[in-house]
Amino acid sequence: EVRITASVSHPTGGAARDPHVLLNETAHRLHRHPLGDFDQRHTYDGQNRSSGPDWYILEFPAPVQINCLEMTMGFAFQNGSWWTALAVEVLGGDGCWQSVERLSVVPPYPSSDDRAERRPFEKYTFTFEVIVTRAVRLIGQPGGLDQFTSLARIAVYHRDLSRWRPESYLGSR
């Protein structure tokens, strides 16, 4: 079974407490569903300023081959819920986190520290060189006045990138 943890283990507010709600296959399929039908998990802890980066870790029971991570954002609040810097890392055989090679994201993730045009349940697809790992981490600087992030879904895949292009799925966000 896949295990998921987040940088804030006891968030406050109205979002889900259990990070396993992020392992769903429906948050990015909004068609004819009210937004309230979908759970989200955030790192808001009521303390405002973060003490470091926010992260979400997926751990696998055995090594897996991956080259794609999909992140579906949660609600964009006035006081935060987005990232100002963002990276994908994998756990190396030495037990240390290392950045993935040749990371790209579709659509480009806005790193400005404001709510701007952020939409709830916006999907971003990160692709990178194929790697075998037991864990992957989405990590970055939380944004907004209260410096927190909010996700509705996180998933990893091994895809044939010579045939599959995330750009072709932008209309299904």
Side-chain angles (χ1 to χ4, degrees):
E1 178 177 318
V2 174
R3 199 179 111 169
I4 184 168
T5 54
S7 55
V8 173
S9 56
H10 301 293
T12 60
R17 302 290 187 258
D18 184 352
H20 282 84
V21 302
L22 301 177
L23 300 176
N24 69 68
E25 287 299 321
T26 60
H28 61 296
R29 297 186 186 126
L30 294 176
H31 188 66
R32 297 187 190 150
H33 289 276
L35 294 179
D37 284 357
F38 301 99
D39 281 329
Q40 62 182 328
R41 172 67 159 65
H42 57 60
T43 58
Y44 181 75
D45 64 3
Q47 302 297 313
N48 294 336
R49 298 307 205 189
S50 70
S51 60
D54 271 11
W55 49 259
Y56 298 84
I57 296 173
L58 294 172
E59 296 177 77
F60 310 103
V64 295
Q65 191 175 60
I66 61 172
N67 66 346
C68 179
L69 182 144
E70 287 182 356
M71 167 186 79
T72 303
M73 298 299 297
F75 288 105
F77 298 97
Q78 293 293 343
N79 59 335
S81 74
W82 56 83
W83 311 82
T84 59
L86 190 56
V88 176
E89 299 176 337
V90 291
L91 192 61
D94 59 359
C96 295
W97 291 102
Q98 59 192 38
S99 295
V100 295
E101 305 266 333
R102 296 181 49 192
L103 179 66
S104 69
V105 60
V106 174
Y109 188 82
S111 59
S112 62
D113 194 10
D114 57 47
R115 185 174 177 198
E117 299 298 317
R118 297 174 194 275
R119 300 181 311 183
F121 303 100
E122 185 94 31
K123 183 173 85 172
Y124 295 90
T125 302
F126 299 81
T127 58
F128 43 90
E129 289 290 316
V130 173
I131 190 154
V132 175
T133 187
R134 290 187 71 104
V136 62
R137 172 167 77 170
L138 185 63
I139 185 169
Q141 184 60 41
L145 179 64
D146 288 336
Q147 295 184 337
F148 69 98
T149 56
S150 178
L151 296 185
R153 176 178 175 264
I154 189 170
V156 294
Y157 303 97
H158 178 251
R159 292 200 163 124
D160 179 353
L161 298 180
S162 69
R163 296 173 182 246
W164 182 84
R165 296 277 184 245
E167 302 87 14
S168 64
Y169 293 92
L170 287 178
S172 64
R173 292 187 282 161

